[in-house]
Amino acid sequence: MKNYNKIVKIDGYIKNQNIRLRNMRIAISLKMSLVAVPLTMLLVFFSVLILSTPSPEKWERSQITYSDISREYFIRHRSSYMLNTTDEGRFVLPLSTKEIEELTQQLEPGKQYSIVYTKNLFTKITKSLSYGDCEFISLDDSVFEWKSERKGLFIFIVVMLFLIIVGSTLIYMFWCKKEREQILKIKSKIDERLSKKTKR
């Protein structure tokens, strides 16, 4: 019996069919990646963003001299409120507009306050702000929110993986139907060719 590998190497027809086979598989991969790649990138981005925030035990404490609060606008009109200081830079205030209005009325420029903050990949985020026994931003609430974000991330990962699997499967079953049929035909032709060669 002739060696199959040897036949494949020297048979030009089988070589061409293998090239077609490879092209069909690449086409399928590209179509499936249209769903899998963006969702995977989104999953990685949010996972890194949340997991990059240190645990409450590693949050930093400092004394700041309050200057004012400003609003920064980002892409697509998204904005964040920033706590500006004269000595420690700027800190994101994760508060609503109503809460910011109340905080602005309570804080006094030039006065020192105690702050607990953390850092992510981009900035410093306020986790607690206080003066003596008066707590303007609750540390306990921030810790609870941190724990909730971690639980939410687990749910997000499960949902995204489900969407990636289901989306890729649907693309493979329906959008790649033509390529799958072509692959079966090509394999059949290769098998038929090999069968004829080995009978000689």
Side-chain angles (χ1 to χ4, degrees):
M1 181 179 289
K2 294 184 178 181
N3 188 292
Y4 278 84
N5 291 330
K6 186 177 180 181
I7 295 174
V8 170
K9 287 180 180 179
I10 63 174
D11 192 296
Y13 176 82
I14 293 178
K15 284 182 179 180
N16 290 333
Q17 293 303 315
N18 279 328
I19 291 172
R20 288 186 61 203
L21 196 62
R22 185 176 68 250
N23 291 338
M24 290 296 107
R25 286 170 176 161
I26 290 173
I28 289 175
S29 298
L30 289 175
K31 285 183 177 181
M32 292 175 69
S33 67
L34 291 177
V35 167
V37 171
L39 290 179
T40 301
M41 291 176 64
L42 192 65
L43 173 61
V44 171
F45 174 77
F46 280 104
S47 297
V48 170
L49 187 63
I50 292 175
L51 293 176
S52 67
T53 303
S55 61
E57 296 80 22
K58 296 180 181 179
W59 291 353
E60 300 180 44
R61 287 170 167 75
S62 183
Q63 291 292 121
I64 61 163
T65 302
Y66 172 70
S67 174
D68 60 10
I69 294 174
S70 61
R71 192 172 186 178
E72 299 292 325
Y73 289 89
F74 301 101
I75 299 172
R76 294 186 180 181
H77 307 291
R78 293 190 64 183
S79 64
S80 290
Y81 290 99
M82 306 296 294
L83 173 68
N84 301 310
T85 73
T86 60
D87 47 9
E88 293 292 336
R90 313 172 75 202
F91 302 82
V92 172
L93 288 167
L95 302 174
S96 65
T97 301
K98 184 178 179 180
E99 291 171 324
I100 289 294
E101 291 174 355
E102 294 176 356
L103 185 62
T104 303
Q105 294 175 359
Q106 294 172 318
L107 302 181
E108 300 177 25
K111 192 173 182 178
Q112 280 203 329
Y113 296 89
S114 298
I115 190 171
V116 177
Y117 65 95
T118 186
K119 298 177 183 178
N120 62 15
L121 294 175
F122 308 106
T123 187
K124 294 184 287 187
I125 305 170
T126 307
K127 293 299 182 181
S128 174
L129 186 66
S130 62
Y131 179 79
D133 295 331
C134 181
E135 196 171 32
F136 305 105
I137 298 177
S138 171
L139 180 61
D140 290 338
D141 290 347
S142 295
V143 172
F144 177 79
E145 184 180 351
W146 180 86
K147 292 179 180 178
S148 298
E149 284 180 350
R150 292 301 173 105
K151 292 179 182 177
L153 177 61
F154 174 76
I155 296 172
F156 177 73
I157 290 173
V158 171
V159 171
M160 292 299 287
L161 289 176
F162 174 77
L163 290 176
I164 290 170
I165 293 171
V166 171
S168 299
T169 302
L170 290 175
I171 287 175
Y172 181 77
M173 293 298 296
F174 297 102
W175 196 15
C176 299
K177 184 179 179 180
K178 181 179 178 180
E179 285 82 1
R180 290 189 293 109
E181 290 175 347
Q182 286 294 319
I183 286 173
L184 291 176
K185 289 179 181 179
I186 293 169
K187 285 183 175 180
S188 177
K189 289 179 180 179
I190 292 174
D191 289 340
E192 185 178 346
R193 181 77 168 190
L194 285 170
S195 178
K196 290 179 179 178
K197 286 281 185 176
T198 53
K199 286 179 180 178
R200 292 178 183 176

